[in-house]
Amino acid sequence: MPLVSDIALKLATRNIAGFGDTDIFPFPIENHLFFDKPDEICSVLQEIDNDFDRALAAMPVLTSKELTAVGYSGFRQGTQIDPVWNAYFLALVATIGDDIESRRVASNTVFSYRYKPNTDTGALFDKEIGWPNFQEAAKTEATKHAFVLRCDISDFYPRIYHHRLDNALRRATPKTGVVDRIMALVKAISAGPSYGLPVGGPAARLLSELLLNGVDRLLFTEGIRFIRFVDDYIIFAETRERAHSALIRISELLLINEGLSLQKTKTRMLTAAEFLATSDFADSSEDEAGEDEQARTFRRLRIHYDPYSPSAAAEYEFLIAQLSKFDIVGMLGRELVKSRIDEGLTRRLVGAIRHLAPSAQNDATRSMVESLDLLYPIFPSVMQLCRVLLPTLDVAVQADLYAALRKLIQGDSYITQVPANLAYALRVLATDSSEETEFLLAALYKRSESMMIRRDIILLMAFRKADYWISNCRTTFSTLTGWERRALLIASYILGDEGKHWRESIKNDQSPFDRLVLTWTAESKNKKGADWRVPL
């Protein structure tokens, strides 16, 4: 029975095309389809919606759960969901998005992921409400109170109980059929445990916001002044006694209602003056060093550029003018001589480098290549930048970058033992034409147990046109995971007639989504001819 509207299907498709499937891992190749063939993607999703149970049985939900680094010594588990199921999951949540938003505490109290879909761009959340507003509200409220309590929830997404989420959904919407399917997918993604939401995607973000809404409302009705962004609470009180009482109360509410607890190490009781002195949005003090003042001012800068905006050219010129006021490379250099970087500041600096002149980009890349161990907490951001800069970097800088990444992987460095870091490093190495990298990829494929990494290596080898390797890999097709099989189907287009005959022999075993992937690949190859490469 169909439950999802065409609007929700198109919204989910456009969101993935414009923003990707997660903010943790490199985008899978299938994301190209969401941009190039949105109508056909919606047709596949409509088939799933028409007979959900049959689709779920015929095409099990595959996920890759991989570690990502948090700081220098912590980790969390991110989840990449099979693209077609990720899209349908998002469409289901979008179907009840307005119901969820209507239940939530006002946006001047909770600033995270306010649902305001834009069917033209595919954006799901209100871009005018977010982290900067949360910080500004914290500063404003701190000036009105004597004490500030800052705390956040321990292991929030992994600890969300499915039964409690189910109850929250059924209270929020009358669309019980949609709730049934959401919970079926949540359980399939969890693959066993009766708790946990997949970290990284927008559907889980909206579901998690609904789950905390009950605690938000209880705090509000009990007169506790607070603001929240995702799992980060800031509570304001007139006395230290009241602040401690609020801490006890929020701990009780989270534990009793949701089975959640606060992180002890991140719970801090501060005077308002102490809080304001340490806030990124605090005013600079007279005794503050010039470098510290520059860093604080830079944190406030909005580094955002929308190339599709009607006023894109003017906005870009304004951004460049703003960045020119800062010594970006110098600020990065000062971070790289510390024993530990300021992660928030350094991530912003890395993001700003893509807007600098080529000479500055080369200097910054050299510095980063020499300090990859220090940049470990933001390694994915560094690799994303390097991939963007590669076409314009000096050949010597490119060579140093490739050599550094090969050394990390060959030496089984702790940096690339983290699967998310390895995935981003491999995308940078895609354009390294050296034999050393080809040998490295082949060896890594044999020893890796990650479905995500093995899928990516198949595509990387095809991108390199390593036809001998792809031909040999084809002989193991029946033993591969679903993601590897799909990657190999795409990769087989570099094999000419051999690939064509092989695809013909197995065409009856392909799902509707796989058939769409092959149609897209064939059209892409025919359009570009001899210049075609497997897109990454």
Side-chain angles (χ1 to χ4, degrees):
M1 174 183 176
L3 296 176
V4 180
S5 68
D6 289 342
I7 293 176
L9 293 176
K10 290 177 180 178
L11 179 62
T13 300
R14 287 175 182 168
N15 178 266
I16 294 169
F19 303 95
D21 61 331
T22 78
D23 59 358
I24 294 178
F25 304 111
F27 297 159
I29 190 173
E30 292 91 342
N31 276 27
H32 288 290
L33 274 77
F34 288 82
F35 185 85
D36 292 340
K37 289 188 168 294
D39 293 338
E40 292 85 347
I41 288 287
C42 285
S43 295
V44 171
L45 297 177
Q46 191 68 65
E47 285 187 46
I48 293 174
D49 194 51
N50 289 338
D51 196 345
F52 176 76
D53 292 334
R54 184 198 61 79
L56 197 59
M59 190 170 54
V61 181
L62 294 179
T63 65
S64 186
K65 298 180 175 68
E66 308 288 357
L67 284 184
T68 63
V70 179
Y72 283 98
S73 57
F75 301 92
R76 66 172 175 172
Q77 188 182 67
T79 303
Q80 189 165 74
I81 307 169
D82 189 85
V84 68
W85 281 116
N86 177 64
Y88 186 66
F89 182 42
L90 182 55
L92 285 170
V93 175
T95 299
I96 59 170
D98 288 327
D99 293 337
I100 291 174
E101 182 60 35
S102 68
R103 300 274 298 187
R104 297 179 63 190
V105 169
S107 59
N108 63 352
T109 298
V110 175
F111 295 86
S112 45
Y113 305 119
R114 306 305 310 211
Y115 187 70
K116 188 179 180 180
N118 184 321
T119 53
D120 292 328
T121 65
L124 295 178
F125 305 115
D126 191 339
K127 66 178 182 179
E128 301 301 324
I129 303 173
W131 180 257
N133 311 89
F134 175 70
Q135 290 279 27
E136 289 289 358
K139 178 181 175 182
T140 300
E141 287 298 322
T143 62
K144 301 176 184 178
H145 297 82
F147 290 90
V148 178
L149 170 67
R150 188 156 197 174
C151 51
D152 62 27
I153 299 171
S154 178
D155 296 326
F156 177 37
Y157 277 63
R159 297 295 180 185
I160 291 176
Y161 284 91
H162 295 168
H163 179 67
R164 290 183 168 102
L165 176 62
D166 191 11
N167 289 340
L169 283 167
R170 295 186 191 284
R171 289 193 294 265
T173 179
K175 299 171 182 175
T176 57
V178 173
V179 174
D180 290 340
R181 292 187 182 182
I182 288 174
M183 293 310 304
L185 288 179
V186 166
K187 291 172 182 176
I189 293 166
S190 180
S194 59
Y195 52 84
L197 280 179
V199 177
R205 292 188 186 115
L206 195 55
L207 294 178
S208 68
E209 289 296 326
L210 173 64
L211 187 84
L212 285 183
N213 187 63
V215 172
D216 292 340
R217 289 200 170 277
L218 287 169
L219 291 172
F220 184 78
T221 56
E222 293 182 18
I224 296 174
R225 179 57 185 135
F226 76 98
I227 59 175
R228 179 174 67 79
F229 189 89
V230 191
D231 58 354
D232 190 352
Y233 282 91
I234 303 179
I235 296 173
F236 308 92
E238 296 301 328
T239 66
R240 189 179 295 274
E241 181 73 20
R242 289 186 179 179
H244 274 290
S245 295
L247 175 60
I248 293 170
R249 188 58 180 144
I250 190 175
S251 298
E252 289 177 337
L253 292 175
L254 285 169
L255 185 60
I256 293 170
N257 289 276
E258 309 302 343
L260 300 170
S261 60
L262 297 174
Q263 290 198 52
K264 297 177 183 178
T265 57
K266 290 191 176 182
T267 299
R268 299 185 64 198
M269 185 83 66
L270 304 167
T271 65
E274 289 171 332
F275 176 79
L276 288 171
T278 59
S279 169
D280 290 342
F281 285 79
D283 296 326
S284 58
S285 60
E286 294 181 0
D287 59 348
E288 187 173 40
E291 293 176 357
D292 293 335
E293 182 179 1
Q294 185 184 44
R296 186 186 297 276
T297 305
F298 180 74
R299 289 178 192 272
R300 301 177 187 174
L301 183 65
R302 178 176 168 81
I303 306 174
H304 176 73
Y305 166 63
D306 181 3
Y308 302 106
S309 168
S311 56
E315 290 177 9
Y316 188 71
E317 289 299 323
F318 178 76
L319 173 61
I320 296 302
Q322 292 296 104
L323 289 175
S324 68
K325 300 176 183 178
F326 300 91
D327 179 11
I328 304 296
V329 178
M331 293 169 69
L332 177 64
R334 287 192 289 274
E335 286 299 310
L336 296 181
V337 297
K338 298 178 180 179
S339 59
R340 290 192 171 202
I341 60 169
D342 179 322
E343 293 176 37
L345 173 61
T346 309
R347 184 177 281 108
R348 289 179 64 83
L349 290 169
V350 167
I353 289 169
R354 69 178 59 194
H355 303 295
L356 301 184
S359 60
Q361 292 174 342
N362 276 285
D363 291 342
T365 304
R366 286 191 189 95
S367 297
M368 290 187 294
V369 168
E370 294 170 358
S371 305
L372 291 176
D373 56 340
L374 194 60
L375 292 167
Y376 168 72
I378 63 165
F379 187 84
S381 297
V382 174
M383 290 297 99
Q384 287 175 290
L385 172 68
C386 288
R387 191 178 178 199
V388 171
L389 298 185
L390 269 172
T392 57
L393 289 177
D394 291 346
V395 173
V397 178
Q398 290 180 3
D400 288 345
L401 173 60
Y402 292 146
L405 296 181
R406 288 198 303 266
K407 183 178 179 180
L408 289 179
I409 299 172
Q410 288 168 340
D412 200 23
S413 166
Y414 71 93
I415 297 174
T416 49
Q417 282 184 36
V418 178
N421 289 352
L422 176 58
Y424 279 105
L426 290 177
R427 294 296 177 97
V428 175
L429 283 173
T431 49
D432 176 18
S433 59
S434 69
E435 289 187 350
E436 293 94 330
T437 290
E438 196 153 305
F439 296 154
L440 179 65
L441 291 174
L444 184 59
Y445 182 81
K446 286 184 177 180
R447 73 170 190 258
S448 177
E449 297 179 356
S450 167
M451 178 172 63
M452 178 182 70
I453 296 298
R454 287 169 62 89
R455 173 202 63 192
D456 287 357
I457 291 174
I458 290 172
L459 295 169
L460 288 169
M461 291 297 259
F463 177 82
R464 300 172 63 85
K465 298 190 176 182
D467 50 4
Y468 70 95
W469 192 89
I470 296 297
S471 179
N472 182 69
C473 191
R474 181 184 61 77
T475 63
T476 66
F477 183 78
S478 62
T479 66
L480 302 181
T481 64
W483 288 10
E484 292 169 77
R485 289 185 182 190
R486 190 179 299 151
L488 195 53
L489 287 171
I490 296 170
S492 70
Y493 279 85
I494 73 168
L495 299 179
D497 286 342
E498 177 190 345
K500 179 180 179 181
H501 295 317
W502 174 66
R503 290 190 301 274
E504 184 68 22
S505 70
I506 58 171
K507 65 180 182 180
N508 294 331
D509 298 328
Q510 296 162 16
S511 71
F513 185 64
D514 287 336
R515 289 195 291 272
L516 177 58
V517 169
L518 289 178
T519 298
W520 167 78
T521 307
E523 291 176 356
S524 176
K525 186 175 186 298
N526 291 336
K527 183 177 180 180
K528 294 190 176 182
D531 295 331
W532 178 79
R533 280 182 181 266
V534 170
L536 299 175

